[in-house]
Amino acid sequence: MTTPIRRQYLSIKRQHPDAILLFRLGDFYETFDEDAQVVARELDIALTSRELGAGQRHPLAGIPYHALDSYLGKLIKKGYKVAICEQTSDPAASRGLVDREVIRVVTPGTVVEPALLEERANNYLASLYVEGDAAGLAYIDVSTSTFASVAQLPLSCLALEMERLSPAEVILPAGQEDLLSTPFPKAPLDPAAFRLDSARQLIMERLGVVTLEGYGCEGLPLAIRAAGALFFYLAQNQKEALGRLDGLTTYDLGSTMLLDAQTRRNLELFSAGRGEAKGASLLSVLDFTRTSMGARLLRRWLGQPLLDLAAIHQRQEAVAAFHANLRLRRDAFALLGRIADMERLANRIKSGFALPREVVALGNSLEALPELRRLVESQTVLPRLPACQDAAALIAAAMNPQPGQMGDGTVIKEGFSPDIDNLRLAAQNARDYIARLESKERERTGIRNLKVGYNKVFGYYIEVTTPNLARVPDGYQRRQTITSGERFMTPELKEYESIVLGARERMEELEASIYRQVCQQIGDEAPHILAAADAVAHLDVFCALAEAAERHGYVRPDVNDGLAIDIREGRHPVVERALPQGTFVPNDLRLSAEEEQLLLVTGPNMAGKSTYIRQAALIVLMAQLGGFVPARSAAIGLVDRVFTRVGLQDDLSTGQSTFMVEMVETAAILNNATKRSLIILDEIGRGTSTYDGLSIAQAVAEHIHSHPRLGCRTLFATHYHELTELARRLPRVRNYCVAVAEEDGRIAFLHRILPGSADRSYGVHVAQLAGLPREVILRAWALLAELEGPPTAGGVASPLPQSAAPQDLSLPSSPTLPPGKRRRAGAPQLSLFPGPSPLLQELLALDLNAMTPLEALNKLYEVQQKAKG
């Protein structure tokens, strides 16, 4: 026959078949059956079994209740949904089975435990509904906010917005999981939850309104569907989070810049390119924030540069206020450093999950607000700070500054509750008596080694060793026999034990009750606390951007509504931080939709072309973020989108080759850019044959220059030197190159961008620096010497020949030269297999290992020049 507890477990498990059920039994969370097998395997803990009726043993695996956060985090990271089932009645007062129920279901998007959250980034739960060519989107960070954000947007913008949010979990209708190609964890939901009528009704009931017009989404049916499903999901899995939801914020993508995933990656906004390291990124350069709220806000701003000039100028004024006043900035930083994560603390307190020390941390933070408010109140451009005096006063009066464990009498401050004070006094008096009892009984009985002790099983006792048992008074009552003697109880000791233990039990109940009341009162103040947290976050970001500007030598840019970009002595904000101070070579940039619209940048490998064109994009983003920029001066005509096509990479997950990825990204740029866009192209057409790639690169450049919808500001770095001929035919194309110094056979990259074009790439030099084997380098020099030759005489109308049919570029006994090249008269005929030519013999005779890298490069260059005659 099945036991009552087994029936209770099965009943609860049937309500959550898709989740691992953590079933609270005393001091453990137990799992059974398949859940136990999964938990034992994933957490690497023991799998046992237990008989639960009918003579059957069931798999069992358990974790200590105090270690929940650690184990829960491991399960969530592995993609599991976890239902936490708690005991909801007092085991001591229950007759028979203890009541139990699932208090919450934890998923990647509903985590609230601090240990499981990234402190300086948001953890979004998103809901998505797609219909036709439009989509509804709703999202919330349940750990920081009481508002859900909703939007209705074109389907073409959905992927970009999802990439910006990078949600921890996405709710979408069951059966439509393929709508979302991005690798975010998906939570399929019954399509009925997305019905318009039921979604609207659920939202209005939760918010206590009769229309959604006040929230700006009444006319956005897809956004309402997504938001309704979000509310429904929270009602199923996180009821307390739904209880905290008290508003919607409708937003429009038109106010901020959309940045696609490759642009974020190529410009290294949030992480370094190789290995996704968190160090060398634009965010790391700018992030001098002192609070978690400020760090999250800065991250959001960096992912959403502004498109509104007034908003940009407003942020600039706030940054300038801190930048111009060092003392203000230093004092503000000192106060901000005292402020904890008010957003997450307020939400944990309102949810009933907060520990006493977290309440104290919030109180300490609130106490810093009045001083911070006085500090910035004279700066009219800075946000106003709510005081939150009621919540601060309540915490100061109620909470012990250094609280211990709940129930031990150290959480609630002395003087706040007379009942608790009386219990403390009674318990202390009883403990004092018991402490004096040992010396009193030793004197009375003459037993010098008599001891008074305590354990959880037998309570208080008097211990007497075996040799002294004959001296035990008649009033002692035997309680326990031990190896070394006997333990006794006296009526008097029993009386005081009852006082201590009774006071402790009553203390646990009363202190927990008062603590819950305090948390509830603080929770009622949550809107004011969250408003203060938002103001603190803004102050923190303004202060951080000012600090970055001061430390790194940034200037305030002129952001205007023109179509020109004029940067004097611009620098790459990330690269310059990796170099010794003052060694980065700054460069000017002038781009204009009317004149210098498309800049073709040529030059050697490693000379700085990529750094130059990327720094332009970063300066634009920093300007429209509202911050200062690394330059002597900068005037930025507002940019609506920044597009980048950089590097060679394949996409194995979708089966796309390197060249296909390149073409898909290029197509996205050409199809979505406008006259106000900024395009960064770092090599186009490198993933295919030479003439295919050159043809595509030239066609792309011509299209950007001449198409009526485009004509946008573009930086195009290329090794196709033939493209420089475009400057002769297209009026708004300009040639720029990276300067290289050559003297007496020596070369040096100057990293200076100058008008004109380059005719060499120094690729073999870079191969040498990269560590290719010596014999490969020498063979490359030999082949390069034979392949290079002056172009055929006569002008050309286009960089490409009139007939660009595929050529046979394979190497037979000697290399075949491309059209437009001729072998220099008298040049050695190099064979792949016969003995070495005179040139190769001379190269092989060089002792490169005895030279420094620069000496080796110069020597190789001399030999190459000699071969050219």
Side-chain angles (χ1 to χ4, degrees):
M1 181 177 179
T2 304
T3 61
I5 197 168
R6 174 66 174 173
R7 289 196 297 270
Q8 184 186 53
Y9 169 82
L10 292 175
S11 175
I12 297 174
K13 178 62 180 176
R14 278 192 292 268
Q15 300 170 34
H16 303 277
D18 59 340
I20 293 175
L21 180 62
L22 298 184
F23 192 74
R24 182 70 178 268
L25 284 174
D27 290 341
F28 281 80
Y29 289 104
E30 302 288 7
T31 58
F32 299 95
D33 306 328
E34 292 183 8
D35 285 356
Q37 295 173 347
V38 170
V39 166
R41 181 181 69 247
E42 299 293 2
L43 302 182
D44 193 24
I45 61 176
L47 177 66
T48 61
S49 62
R50 180 173 177 175
E51 185 175 337
L52 296 172
Q56 295 182 345
R57 301 191 69 84
H58 298 268
L60 169 71
I63 58 176
Y65 81 96
H66 57 78
L68 174 62
D69 283 4
S70 172
Y71 289 115
L72 182 61
K74 293 178 182 179
L75 291 173
I76 295 300
K77 287 180 180 179
K78 291 176 180 289
Y80 293 102
K81 186 176 181 180
V82 181
I84 300 176
C85 179
E86 292 286 3
Q87 297 173 170
T88 55
S89 63
D90 184 359
S94 298
R95 293 184 177 180
L97 198 61
V98 175
D99 294 334
R100 291 180 176 86
E101 67 173 293
V102 170
I103 59 167
R104 62 191 178 111
V105 178
V106 184
T107 65
T110 60
V111 171
V112 294
E113 285 75 10
L116 308 185
L117 293 168
E118 187 176 345
E119 182 181 359
R120 304 175 77 82
N122 285 102
N123 190 73
Y124 289 123
L125 171 67
S127 176
L128 177 63
Y129 185 82
V130 175
E131 188 176 273
D133 59 357
L137 177 63
Y139 67 89
I140 187 173
D141 182 342
V142 299
S143 71
T144 65
S145 180
T146 60
F147 281 76
S149 299
V150 298
Q152 189 160 306
L153 59 158
L155 191 58
S156 59
C157 296
L158 178 62
L160 298 180
E161 185 65 355
M162 296 299 288
E163 288 163 359
R164 178 186 73 83
L165 295 173
S166 189
E169 185 178 9
V170 181
I171 305 162
L172 69 175
Q176 298 185 24
E177 292 86 347
D178 293 341
L179 290 174
L180 191 64
S181 58
T182 45
F184 306 117
K186 302 169 187 176
L189 198 60
D190 186 346
F194 292 85
R195 287 176 50 190
L196 182 58
D197 54 350
S198 59
R200 177 184 279 108
Q201 186 62 33
L202 178 59
I203 296 171
M204 291 192 300
E205 287 178 358
R206 175 57 233 151
L207 301 181
V209 297
V210 295
T211 177
L212 297 179
E213 290 182 3
Y215 297 104
C217 59
E218 181 63 45
L220 305 175
L222 303 187
I224 293 173
R225 289 173 183 256
L230 179 68
F231 279 46
F232 181 82
Y233 189 78
L234 290 175
Q236 280 191 324
N237 300 300
Q238 198 77 289
K239 292 179 182 178
E240 56 77 24
L242 181 64
R244 287 188 285 108
L245 261 177
D246 54 16
L248 294 176
T249 300
T250 302
Y251 71 102
D252 181 8
L253 297 183
S255 61
T256 57
M257 186 189 299
L258 293 173
L259 297 174
D260 55 47
Q262 56 264 29
T263 295
R264 294 166 183 266
R265 181 184 65 247
N266 294 337
L267 298 181
E268 298 179 341
L269 298 185
F270 301 106
S271 60
R274 285 199 173 190
E276 294 301 307
K278 293 184 179 179
S281 68
L282 181 59
L283 179 62
S284 69
V285 169
L286 299 178
D287 192 359
F288 288 95
T289 56
R290 297 297 196 268
T291 71
S292 301
M293 299 94 71
R296 292 192 293 267
L297 180 62
L298 176 60
R299 189 182 187 91
R300 292 197 298 271
W301 280 8
L302 188 55
Q304 289 182 289
L306 296 173
L307 299 180
D308 181 76
L309 283 176
I312 293 172
H313 295 157
Q314 186 177 20
R315 286 186 186 175
Q316 286 182 331
E317 287 294 327
V319 174
F322 280 115
H323 184 259
N325 192 329
L326 176 61
R327 182 173 180 179
L328 174 67
R329 193 166 71 249
R330 289 290 177 263
D331 291 347
F333 269 147
L335 290 169
L336 290 166
R338 291 167 48 189
I339 297 176
D341 195 338
M342 293 168 56
E343 286 180 333
R344 285 182 173 163
L345 289 175
N347 277 288
R348 280 180 60 79
I349 292 170
K350 189 174 177 64
S351 303
F353 298 144
L355 300 173
R357 57 181 171 80
E358 292 176 313
V359 177
V360 172
L362 178 62
N364 294 337
S365 301
L366 296 179
E367 288 178 357
L369 295 187
E371 192 174 348
L372 183 60
R373 185 180 186 180
R374 288 191 294 271
L375 181 68
V376 302
E377 62 185 358
S378 62
Q379 304 291 331
T380 58
V381 297
L382 298 178
R384 301 297 90 192
L385 265 171
C388 300
Q389 293 174 341
D390 292 344
L394 174 62
I395 296 173
M399 299 298 296
N400 188 330
Q402 294 181 324
Q405 296 295 320
M406 181 63 66
D408 64 5
T410 61
V411 171
I412 301 301
K413 194 173 186 178
E414 185 176 352
F416 183 75
S417 168
D419 291 339
I420 288 183
D421 289 346
N422 291 335
L423 286 172
R424 282 198 189 106
L425 182 59
Q428 187 59 48
N429 289 339
R431 281 193 293 267
D432 290 345
Y433 168 80
I434 293 172
R436 295 193 300 267
L437 180 63
E438 184 172 278
S439 59
K440 175 185 173 183
E441 288 300 303
R442 283 183 178 180
E443 183 177 349
R444 185 169 78 91
T445 63
I447 304 173
R448 293 187 177 184
N449 61 356
L450 177 148
K451 293 190 301 183
V452 175
Y454 172 84
N455 65 38
K456 291 184 178 181
V457 177
F458 293 100
Y460 287 97
Y461 56 82
I462 297 173
E463 184 174 310
V464 179
T465 57
T466 301
N468 293 299
L469 289 177
R471 304 170 70 180
V472 171
D474 291 340
Y476 277 31
Q477 302 168 3
R478 182 176 285 104
R479 171 164 282 195
Q480 182 186 15
T481 299
I482 58 175
T483 305
S484 59
E486 300 280 352
R487 288 175 176 173
F488 300 90
M489 171 62 71
T490 68
E492 190 177 20
L493 179 58
K494 183 65 175 177
E495 178 183 350
Y496 281 94
E497 178 187 62
S498 298
I499 295 174
V500 172
L501 299 181
R504 181 180 299 170
E505 184 177 339
R506 177 68 182 131
M507 179 75 73
E508 291 177 357
E509 297 175 1
L510 186 57
E511 192 171 53
S513 175
I514 293 176
Y515 178 71
R516 286 194 297 269
Q517 293 174 24
V518 170
C519 288
Q520 185 176 356
Q521 290 179 263
I522 298 171
D524 293 340
E525 295 292 317
H528 303 294
I529 297 173
L530 291 175
D534 183 65
V536 167
H538 279 76
L539 289 173
D540 196 12
V541 173
F542 294 141
C543 209
L545 292 176
E547 182 73 9
E550 177 66 25
R551 289 198 189 190
H552 305 330
Y554 297 168
V555 299
R556 178 174 178 173
D558 169 26
V559 185
N560 55 67
D561 60 358
L563 289 173
I565 296 175
D566 192 349
I567 300 171
R568 300 301 175 189
E569 296 184 16
R571 314 186 305 276
H572 192 294
V574 180
V575 173
E576 74 165 341
R577 305 315 310 160
L579 299 176
Q581 186 173 2
T583 60
F584 186 91
V585 179
N587 278 291
D588 296 345
L589 171 66
R590 170 70 185 176
L591 276 174
S592 169
E594 291 80 18
E595 298 177 6
E596 297 174 297
Q597 176 226 324
L598 193 153
L599 272 54
L600 285 169
V601 185
T602 54
N605 292 296
M606 293 181 64
K609 299 190 305 297
S610 296
T611 298
Y612 176 68
I613 63 176
R614 294 186 207 199
Q615 83 183 31
L618 289 172
I619 288 174
V620 166
L621 294 180
M622 292 170 69
Q624 295 188 211
L625 166 72
F628 289 17
V629 300
R632 183 167 61 85
S633 67
I636 309 295
L638 198 68
V639 171
D640 64 356
R641 288 281 300 273
V642 173
F643 294 95
T644 62
R645 160 85 281 282
V646 173
L648 297 176
Q649 58 185 13
D650 54 19
D651 188 345
L652 299 179
S653 64
T654 60
Q656 293 185 343
S657 67
T658 296
F659 183 63
M660 176 58 79
V661 170
E662 181 181 346
M663 291 299 98
V664 167
E665 292 181 0
T666 304
I669 294 172
L670 299 182
N671 290 326
N672 291 285
T674 71
K675 197 173 189 66
R676 273 208 174 273
S677 301
L678 173 64
I679 298 178
I680 304 298
L681 300 175
D682 194 354
E683 302 294 345
I684 291 288
R686 302 291 287 184
T688 186
S689 66
T690 301
Y691 287 113
D692 281 353
L694 177 58
S695 302
I696 292 169
Q698 179 173 330
V700 167
E702 291 174 347
H703 185 81
I704 292 173
H705 177 278
S706 303
H707 194 282
R709 179 175 53 80
L710 297 176
C712 47
R713 294 158 286 185
T714 303
L715 289 165
F716 193 152
T718 183
H719 284 286
Y720 290 134
H721 300 142
E722 296 88 343
L723 290 181
T724 59
E725 293 292 328
L726 286 174
R728 300 185 183 182
R729 299 191 298 107
L730 302 178
R732 297 186 304 281
V733 174
R734 301 288 187 272
N735 286 326
Y736 282 82
C737 64
V738 187
V740 177
E742 298 188 39
E743 184 177 358
D744 298 330
R746 297 177 179 274
I747 61 172
F749 299 148
L750 303 181
H751 306 295
R752 182 72 68 186
I753 306 299
L754 301 172
S757 59
D759 61 355
R760 300 183 60 203
S761 291
Y762 298 90
V764 181
H765 296 81
V766 176
Q768 169 82 7
L769 294 174
L772 264 66
R774 180 171 179 268
E775 57 270 24
V776 174
I777 296 296
L778 296 177
R779 178 59 175 160
W781 279 117
L783 292 173
L784 182 64
E786 182 173 358
L787 289 171
E788 283 192 332
T792 55
V796 291
S798 167
L800 289 175
Q802 294 297 315
S803 175
Q807 304 293 321
D808 181 9
L809 299 182
S810 60
L811 293 176
S813 59
S814 62
T816 302
L817 296 177
K821 296 283 185 180
R822 64 179 177 82
R823 183 173 284 108
R824 179 179 56 79
Q829 299 291 317
L830 298 182
S831 170
L832 292 178
F833 301 106
S837 66
L839 172 60
L840 186 56
Q841 287 177 336
E842 184 173 356
L843 289 171
L844 291 172
L846 295 175
D847 186 9
L848 297 179
N849 292 328
M851 306 178 190
T852 67
L854 183 59
E855 290 172 342
L857 289 175
N858 288 327
K859 189 63 179 177
L860 291 169
Y861 180 72
E862 290 175 6
V863 174
Q864 183 191 30
Q865 293 299 106
K866 178 181 176 182
K868 288 184 176 181

